[in-house]
Amino acid sequence: MSYRTADSFRTVTLDDVRGAQKMLTGVARVTAMEGSRHLSGLVGSPVHLKCENLQRTGSFKLRGAYVRIAGLLPEERAAGVVAASAGNHAQGVALASSLLGVRATVFMPRGAPLPKISATRDYGAEVRLHGHVVDETLAAAQEYADDTGAVFIHPFDHPDVIAGQGTVGLEILEQCPEVRTIVVGIGGGGLAAGVAVAVKALRPDVRIVGVQAAGAAAYPPSLAAGRPVSVGNPATMADGIRVGRPGDVPFGIVGALVDEVRTVTEDELSTALLLCLERAKLVVEPAGASPVAALLSAPDAFEGPVVAVLSGGNVDPVLMQRVLRHGMAAQGRYLAVRLRLTDRPGALATLLAVLSAVDANVLDVSHVRTDPRLGLTEAEVELHLETMGPTHCAEVGEALRTAGYTVIG
């Protein structure tokens, strides 16, 4: 959903981004640029991580929110602001409003992670829960703006927001002047558009690659159609880029300046998140890990040096647990097996001894004796195992078969 105003049709220029950078001095951090030895080895040239997950509020969203709110007229500030977000934009608007002394109301979906709701309140905003998807929440926020006169702060579809996000691009050029490719996640397109405006104006030779989750990839069909089109029911664990329709303003910029838009799967996202945690020691949310997922899926497709923008680190601990297990499974490091054995004393201990002998770490055991499918002397066991990779998984399976067990799932 996009809300157009006359202001929305302004273009975004390098001067706008430079002005935003001055405005953000002392407000947004100049986030670190970390080298990744593992990714560099895969790509065959240096890969750097732009750590916006370490930004204040845990994502780049503070940049655009602050620039947008700081640009309001005094009477607009007096009316307050309203926003809608599943988390990152909510926190950016809340902190920016607090710093600028503006009253903020933020609408969030009922299913938004509790840590994000709590953080938004802690930054000073009034939080209202409405709807179950972001489009419903956006509609409620717009209705509130119409009823109260509060200024609606769109998460990506406004030139000031795009200019603020573009300061990430200026920092990349300052920190890594030799960069050849910048990889950035795309939801509505504000970050990718801002980075592209800044970078292409100064270094038109740098390739900009956008990344979307395959289950919420609105940009490829939109670019093919030449206009923003909606995808129904966008579905991905990466809530930061789960947007069903490109913004009107960023769409024009992305179409003109972004060289390529790629998609990644849920398996690739979870593997990338796990890699960031294990190899880079960085907590990154699935949307923030999308550029890493693109590098992992096609390392030969990127000319280096490469900068991957880790756009955010606000991941719900419950989701983190699920994603880590999913990532381990995708790498062959997590194995679930189900088998039947004779229900007699010591049978489970014997099974566990077989697994111990091949160094399979048992994470969880479910032991079922009462099920109509089972024979009188049978029991069914489901085990979740931590392994050392696909080869080890095969060794575990072979050990179970050699010991006389039949794996049924």
Side-chain angles (χ1 to χ4, degrees):
M1 188 175 294
S2 181
Y3 300 97
R4 295 186 177 190
T5 66
D7 202 33
S8 298
F9 291 95
R10 284 190 3 240
T11 188
V12 182
T13 67
L14 176 61
D15 286 343
D16 293 327
V17 180
R18 283 176 165 158
Q21 188 176 45
K22 292 179 181 177
M23 193 179 294
L24 289 168
T25 301
V27 175
R29 294 173 181 149
V30 177
T31 51
M33 184 86 76
E34 299 287 344
S36 172
R37 193 170 171 185
H38 180 74
L39 289 173
S40 297
L42 290 177
V43 173
S45 61
V47 175
H48 306 280
L49 306 175
K50 176 61 172 168
C51 299
E52 282 296 290
N53 59 311
L54 303 179
Q55 184 57 262
R56 296 178 71 179
T57 75
S59 89
F60 71 97
K61 289 287 190 177
L62 171 64
R63 297 172 184 264
Y66 187 90
V67 172
R68 173 76 172 101
I69 297 169
L72 297 178
L73 299 172
E75 57 268 28
E76 292 175 317
R77 292 196 190 193
V81 299
V82 60
S85 167
N88 287 346
H89 181 59
Q91 292 172 72
V93 168
L95 178 56
S97 299
S98 178
L99 293 172
L100 292 164
V102 177
R103 184 178 71 257
T105 303
V106 177
F107 285 76
M108 302 182 75
R110 295 188 184 279
L114 291 177
K116 293 186 178 183
I117 295 173
S118 177
T120 303
R121 286 182 174 137
D122 288 346
Y123 286 127
E126 177 190 349
V127 174
R128 299 191 181 193
L129 302 179
H130 183 92
H132 296 283
V133 296
V134 174
D135 281 350
E136 294 173 354
T137 310
L138 279 167
Q142 183 63 42
E143 183 178 355
Y144 177 90
D146 294 340
D147 292 343
T148 66
V151 179
F152 180 69
I153 308 299
H154 199 284
F156 49 81
D157 206 11
H158 193 280
D160 290 346
V161 172
I162 293 170
Q165 321 304 30
T167 59
V168 174
L170 293 181
E171 290 178 17
I172 289 172
L173 294 183
E174 291 164 3
Q175 294 170 310
C176 185
E178 69 278 15
V179 63
R180 296 293 300 165
T181 305
I182 297 174
V183 191
V184 58
I186 298 185
L191 177 60
V195 168
V197 166
V199 172
K200 289 293 189 178
L202 296 169
R203 287 280 308 280
D205 59 303
V206 173
R207 185 172 177 80
I208 310 291
V209 178
V211 183
Q212 291 208 286
Y219 264 90
S222 296
L223 292 170
R227 58 181 174 79
V229 298
S230 299
V231 294
N233 301 316
T236 174
M237 71 177 80
D239 60 345
I241 53 175
R242 190 172 59 220
V243 177
R245 181 186 184 278
D248 292 307
V249 183
F251 175 77
I253 298 170
V254 169
L257 299 180
V258 172
D259 296 283
E260 180 187 7
V261 176
R262 306 177 71 91
T263 62
V264 292
T265 67
E266 299 299 285
D267 280 354
E268 288 163 349
L269 285 168
S270 58
T271 299
L273 187 149
L274 183 60
L275 183 142
C276 288
L277 187 63
E278 287 190 326
R279 296 300 184 97
K281 315 306 177 189
L282 292 168
V283 175
V284 181
E285 62 190 273
S290 59
V292 175
L295 293 176
L296 292 174
S297 67
D300 295 335
F302 302 90
E303 180 186 359
V306 178
V307 173
V309 181
L310 307 182
S311 58
N314 292 316
V315 58
D316 178 33
V318 176
L319 175 63
M320 173 69 90
Q321 184 179 41
R322 294 206 311 267
V323 171
L324 289 179
R325 286 202 171 188
H326 189 82
M328 290 173 67
Q331 289 187 340
R333 294 169 52 193
Y334 181 78
L335 179 65
V337 295
R338 187 162 51 92
L339 46 82
R340 291 180 185 175
L341 45 76
T342 303
D343 188 14
R344 64 171 183 267
L348 181 58
T350 301
L351 170 61
L352 296 179
V354 172
L355 296 170
S356 176
V358 289
D359 296 322
N361 185 30
V362 179
L363 301 175
D364 188 42
V365 178
S366 176
H367 196 193
V368 178
R369 289 188 176 89
T370 55
D371 189 302
R373 298 172 302 163
L374 297 175
L376 184 63
T377 61
E378 286 184 321
E380 187 172 283
V381 176
E382 182 173 348
L383 304 108
H384 293 179
L385 310 173
E386 181 183 5
T387 65
M388 293 176 283
T391 301
H392 191 206
C393 286
E395 291 174 0
V396 171
E398 181 60 29
L400 290 171
R401 287 188 292 273
T402 300
Y405 296 102
T406 300
V407 178
I408 58 176

